[in-house]
Amino acid sequence: MASAAPAADLADVATTDLMSELLHRMKCASKPDKRVILVGPPGCGKGTQSPILKDEYCLCHLATGDMLRAAVTAKTPLGLKAKEAMDKGELVSDDLVVGIINEAVKKPSCQKGFILDGFPRTVVQAEKLDAMLANQGTKVDKVLNFEIADSILEERITGRWIHPASGRSYHNKFAPPKVPGLDDITGEPLIQRKDDNADVLKSRLEAFHKQTKPVVDHYKERGVVVGLHAEKSPQEVSAEIKNALS
Ligand code: AMP
């Protein structure tokens, strides 16, 4: 159980923020628990759908790629271990990412369940996740499989801009920010990921097809996979997700 924030910290939080957090928690109390996995190649729309899903179902969003990038930026021991593989578009070791997820799901924000984004990416990771959940008497409820042709992804990836703190993503052509280079909500600068280029995308797609497709088969055997038409508009994909989770 996480300890409460010291009163001094809460005293510094604006009343309107505290009230909206309280209202959010009251709304969430009646939502059923859900453990959802998002599977799909880079640029398939997982990052666009995750914040929507997170708010709607009161889940925490755990994106191993985001967590690893934060560790690389902070130059933590974990980040130093992960950097080389990430720069080349290869997968980092199963033990490393499983360790990250094991810790992350203990956060209070994951109490109602979680959205796993970019994890599990190998069958070993899926088996370890299943074992961890079985230990807690739970299981994966749904795997949302973002199906899309590789040929569409290059344009989506090379034009992509990210707000690192929230995970919100933008696109030069398909979803430009109101002010170029700045996040719509916070006004903070957007970044382009180092591995969001055509060359590295090739290795990332190779890794995806080779190692991640078997993860989908693993969960198909358990009857929890739903295929999405990820080439459609974000609104249409959101509607498909709502259907899948209802
Ligand atoms: P992503 O942001 O999901 O595209 O991930 C960026 C990079 O982080 C990948 O190319 C991998 O090097 C690494 N990574 C993220 N998640 C995993 C995972 N579950 N297993 C192994 N490597 C991962």
Side-chain angles (χ1 to χ4, degrees):
M1 184 84 172
S3 58
D9 288 350
L10 290 179
D12 286 336
V13 179
T15 308
T16 47
D17 292 343
L18 275 177
M19 288 304 288
S20 66
E21 176 62 20
L22 255 177
L23 287 173
H24 178 68
R25 290 195 188 192
M26 280 160 67
K27 183 193 93 181
C28 288
S30 60
K31 300 266 174 172
D33 292 10
K34 276 198 198 309
R35 290 161 197 87
V36 181
I37 296 175
L38 309 186
V39 179
C44 69
K46 299 192 300 282
T48 302
Q49 298 298 332
S50 295
I52 303 171
L53 250 176
K54 175 182 156 177
D55 279 356
E56 176 68 27
Y57 297 97
C58 303
L59 308 173
C60 67
H61 174 218
L62 304 177
T64 39
D66 291 349
M67 296 178 199
L68 288 167
R69 272 185 294 282
V72 169
T73 306
K75 297 196 167 72
T76 64
L78 179 108
L80 295 176
K81 274 190 209 153
K83 186 175 184 318
E84 198 184 325
M86 291 180 73
D87 283 347
K88 288 193 278 189
E90 291 168 5
L91 295 187
V92 308
S93 80
D94 289 330
D95 282 346
L96 219 134
V97 280
V98 169
I100 297 182
I101 290 292
N102 259 328
E103 275 311 302
V105 293
K106 294 178 190 156
K107 292 193 297 188
S109 55
C110 299
Q111 204 186 353
K112 283 272 161 196
F114 48 70
I115 307 158
L116 295 181
D117 173 352
F119 178 93
R121 260 186 166 84
T122 66
V123 173
V124 172
Q125 292 176 18
E127 286 167 347
K128 292 198 173 180
L129 171 69
D130 294 346
M132 182 187 93
L133 294 178
N135 253 336
Q136 301 165 359
T138 60
K139 62 180 179 51
V140 170
D141 296 307
K142 274 288 181 265
V143 174
L144 301 176
N145 188 21
F146 288 64
E147 295 167 347
I148 186 162
D150 285 0
S151 54
I152 304 177
L153 299 171
E154 186 173 326
E155 191 182 19
R156 283 197 182 182
I157 282 291
T158 51
R160 176 160 84 168
W161 288 82
I162 312 266
H163 176 240
S166 67
R168 275 185 286 280
S169 53
Y170 299 84
H171 190 279
N172 283 340
K173 183 166 148 194
F174 306 126
K178 289 178 190 143
V179 180
L182 300 181
D183 178 47
D184 285 355
I185 312 276
T186 62
E188 289 166 355
L190 302 176
I191 57 141
Q192 258 195 314
R193 278 171 49 174
K194 208 173 157 197
D195 59 353
D196 273 354
N197 63 68
D199 264 359
V200 180
L201 176 64
K202 272 196 201 99
S203 343
R204 289 163 74 198
L205 284 175
E206 250 165 53
F208 172 75
H209 289 303
K210 196 165 123 225
Q211 281 158 304
T212 310
K213 283 257 168 77
V215 172
V216 175
D217 295 336
H218 170 90
Y219 286 111
K220 272 188 181 156
E221 284 165 23
R222 284 150 187 81
V224 291
V225 177
V226 178
L228 304 173
H229 298 90
E231 79 288 353
K232 290 191 178 171
S233 72
Q235 293 76 9
E236 287 171 301
V237 176
S238 289
E240 287 191 13
I241 292 179
K242 209 166 176 186
N243 239 348
L245 295 182
S246 62

